[in-house]
Amino acid sequence: VVAVDTPDAGEQPPTLTPEPASAPPWPHRDPAGPATASAVAPVLEAIRELSAAMDHYRHAFGTAHELGTAEITALTHLLTVEHTTAGRLAARTNLTPGSVTALMDRLERRGYLTRTRPPTNRRTLLIELTDTGRRLAHSMYTPLLPLLETAAADPKAPDPGRMAHCLDQIAELIDHLASTPPTT
């Protein structure tokens, strides 16, 4: 990252001045003032913090229930969509078709999901949570409810409906970003 000194009329051309190495390459929250690069920079920082906290929490939950990251992702996805196909589950968990088959085998053996073929399309395999799997997936998020209620009770907190709407939009945009190949 560099800063450009712009000349006044008749002065030498601009020179590039390196910024200190300690400056992060992204906007950051400054406790003493507003965001350094954008009004939404604090939101970006909060998303990073939330993502790290959820990763830590999901890892702890998975460890307590002897589940890996891919299993937790699969359970969460199935809780959200009700049922899916193996291909969609492979895409959501970032696994190969063979690996997602092994994942489904493990979750099915533990009684967390079922695989069925609908009578209208015998080529399709639908995957859905069992009642046990649904209870387990819900139990990961149930402890968050009192925390959210406490946060929502803060007079400075936005309306929970508006906050949920914003989070849904952010999640949709991030999913879109994840499905779009990066450009360099």
Side-chain angles (χ1 to χ4, degrees):
V1 177
V2 293
V4 178
D5 298 322
T6 55
D8 290 335
E11 289 188 30
Q12 296 293 330
T15 58
L16 300 178
T17 309
E19 290 188 358
S22 62
W26 59 83
H28 63 281
R29 185 177 4 201
D30 180 357
T36 58
S38 168
V40 295
V43 176
L44 179 61
E45 180 67 21
I47 289 170
R48 277 196 296 265
E49 291 172 9
L50 177 62
S51 178
M54 284 303 298
D55 285 349
H56 186 239
Y57 176 70
R58 287 164 50 106
H59 177 76
F61 183 88
T63 299
H65 294 277
E66 298 178 353
L67 296 166
T69 303
E71 286 90 354
I72 294 292
T73 301
L75 290 171
T76 300
H77 180 63
L78 286 166
L79 184 63
T80 305
V81 299
E82 189 174 331
H83 63 267
T84 192
T85 64
R88 289 187 191 122
L89 190 58
R92 191 60 175 187
T93 56
N94 298 312
L95 295 174
T96 64
S99 294
V100 87
T101 299
L103 174 137
M104 290 185 300
D105 290 344
R106 290 190 302 273
L107 292 175
E108 191 173 42
R109 272 194 307 273
R110 293 185 68 180
Y112 297 144
L113 66 78
T114 61
R115 294 180 266 195
T116 57
R117 294 198 186 279
T120 57
N121 184 351
R122 299 296 296 162
R123 294 175 302 173
T124 301
L125 187 63
L126 290 180
I127 300 130
E128 57 190 319
L129 291 174
T130 62
D131 289 341
T132 301
R134 190 170 285 101
R135 278 193 301 276
L136 178 66
H138 275 296
S139 76
M140 182 168 38
Y141 296 99
T142 303
L144 300 177
L145 284 174
L147 303 174
L148 292 172
E149 288 168 352
T150 299
D154 183 332
K156 296 180 202 169
D159 170 70
R162 290 184 67 204
M163 188 169 23
H165 177 73
C166 283
L167 289 171
D168 285 344
Q169 285 186 313
I170 291 167
E172 188 176 314
L173 292 169
I174 291 171
D175 271 345
H176 176 72
L177 187 61
S179 66
T180 306
T183 57
T184 53

